[in-house]
Amino acid sequence: MRVRDSFHDDRLPDTIYSATCNDLQAFSRLEGNVRVQVVIVGGGFTGIAAAVELAERGYTVAVVEQNLIGWGSSGRCSGLIEGGAGPDISKFNDYSAIFGAAQAKAVWELGNSSVDIIKDRVKKYEIDCDLAWGHVETATSKKQVRRLQEKADALAGLGYAPKLQLFKGSETEENLGSQSLSGGLLNMGWGHCHPLNLVRGEARVAERLGVKIFEDARVNDIACGKKVVVDTGHGKVTADIALLAGNAYLGDLVPGLAQKQLIVDSYAAVTEPLSEELLQKINPHKYAFSGSGKYSEHYRVTQDNRFLYSGLVNFSGRHPKDVKGQLKRKIQALFPELAKVALPYVWGGKTGVGKNEVPQIGKIAGNVYYAQAYSRREIAQAHLAAHSIVEAIDGNLRYFSALASVKHTAFTGGKFFKRPIFAAKMFFT
């Protein structure tokens, strides 16, 4: 789906990520016809992570991306790496209810190991993406602090391995910076990164492993059958198996998939580099932060000491008139110390969300897989989806069967009215 508006054109967006990207060298353009075992549509985290793992297992693979690798949500997101296969990882009963008692533990473990997939790959291939650990779920009331304590206790009971630490009372401002917080739960198993450097770094790994990666390859048609033929207009890829990994930018290529996710616009900004003195006040340990809501704010400090904030979402399909002003006010409300700090980069992007927080993974034909709708945990969930699908392609259905068994219903309102109907529900509930 080509998108051209105030935040999208055919180039990488003007973000702090593209400004500090390690590798902006173009990948190939498809000219003519190619034959591989697996074709992947979409050059974001899902497609690229799957390509790496497939190549490691000996498959021949081609990736077609309509713009540039990392152009979509993967290269625009907050950079937070949060594990889990959908439900809150402390609520194991939810996993049992959604995936079934027999599969719940395996899916719970897969959700947590999705973070390790990233960690291990970055280490193995020496991908420079500013990977750092330490994530805080914030609380703004005593009631929320109690819930965080219950979450920590539940995770300890489930055998969750990474270090957890609850900050409350006088500890909060000292360790977490903000005077507006009542507390926070630190999870050293979650973290953050430079997402564009991660996805493009993984793409270079895939390329070195023999994957054919094609940019500027908009898919006009997919012919499904014993073989899958992906037609870009200036070349075709024929494969035994396909993976549709376009997520929010797949458009109406497969209408049935489009109706199961709502495309949400989200916006982010970074400040100019901050002094060490100011950083010690607002984020002394350079953790990543997120609220407890599905569409809550996310913020962190980048490698070059900028404050990055993502906490403005829009369900209407139209960009707000003053995105920068709204983000600046939200940042100021959180940290008054940043009231006069400039915001040199402001950007927006699209993400796909479902009616629940479980990623949508399955097949639309016997040899055509798909993955989409990661909601708030896109980096880790994309790697989780990729791993489960690669395992299925390789003959191991343990994870895929459980994830694909979840029934995802379409949004009410069809193509033209699902956004306003959902926005109205959000406003009145």
Side-chain angles (χ1 to χ4, degrees), residues 201-213:
E202 286 185 287
R204 291 301 179 195
V205 170
E207 191 177 50
R208 292 197 297 272
L209 292 172
V211 175
K212 302 177 187 297
I213 298 179

Side-chain angles (χ1 to χ4, degrees), residues 16-17 78 269-270 298-300 302 306-310 347:
I16 187 60
Y17 301 137
S78 65
V270 292
H298 304 256
Y299 58 92
R300 63 188 182 89
T302 64
R306 300 170 186 266
F307 180 81
L308 188 153
Y309 178 89
S310 174
W347 66 93

Side-chain angles (χ1 to χ4, degrees), residues 30 39 100 129 142 150 157 168 211 223 241 285 319 323 328 358 393 402 427:
L30 177 61
V39 60
C129 62
K142 291 183 179 179
E150 292 170 358
K168 56 185 178 179
V211 175
I241 297 168
H285 302 293
H319 298 304
V323 171
K328 190 169 186 62
V358 180
I393 291 171
F427 182 80

Side-chain angles (χ1 to χ4, degrees), residues 371-428:
Q372 63 179 23
Y374 303 129
S375 300
R376 58 176 294 183
R377 298 178 185 142
E378 55 198 303
I379 298 181
Q381 285 194 353
H383 284 79
L384 171 155
H387 179 67
S388 68
I389 290 171
V390 170
E391 289 264 282
I393 291 171
D394 212 30
N396 185 346
L397 297 175
R398 181 187 185 193
Y399 299 130
F400 179 82
S401 294
L403 292 164
S405 70
V406 179
K407 303 300 181 184
H408 298 281
T409 57
F411 281 87
T412 303
K415 178 179 179 180
F416 297 104
F417 298 105
K418 64 180 179 179
R419 275 179 181 257
I421 290 173
F422 187 80
K425 287 181 179 179
M426 290 293 294
F427 182 80
F428 290 109

Side-chain angles (χ1 to χ4, degrees), residues 26-30 40 42-43 47-48 51-52 61-65 68-69 199-200 202-208 210-217:
F27 289 83
S28 301
R29 188 173 191 270
L30 177 61
I40 297 171
I48 295 301
V52 171
V61 183
V63 176
V64 292
E65 161 57 41
L68 304 171
I69 298 300
V199 68
R200 290 183 70 87
E202 286 185 287
R204 291 301 179 195
V205 170
E207 191 177 50
R208 292 197 297 272
V211 175
K212 302 177 187 297
I213 298 179
F214 302 110
E215 295 180 320
D216 189 26

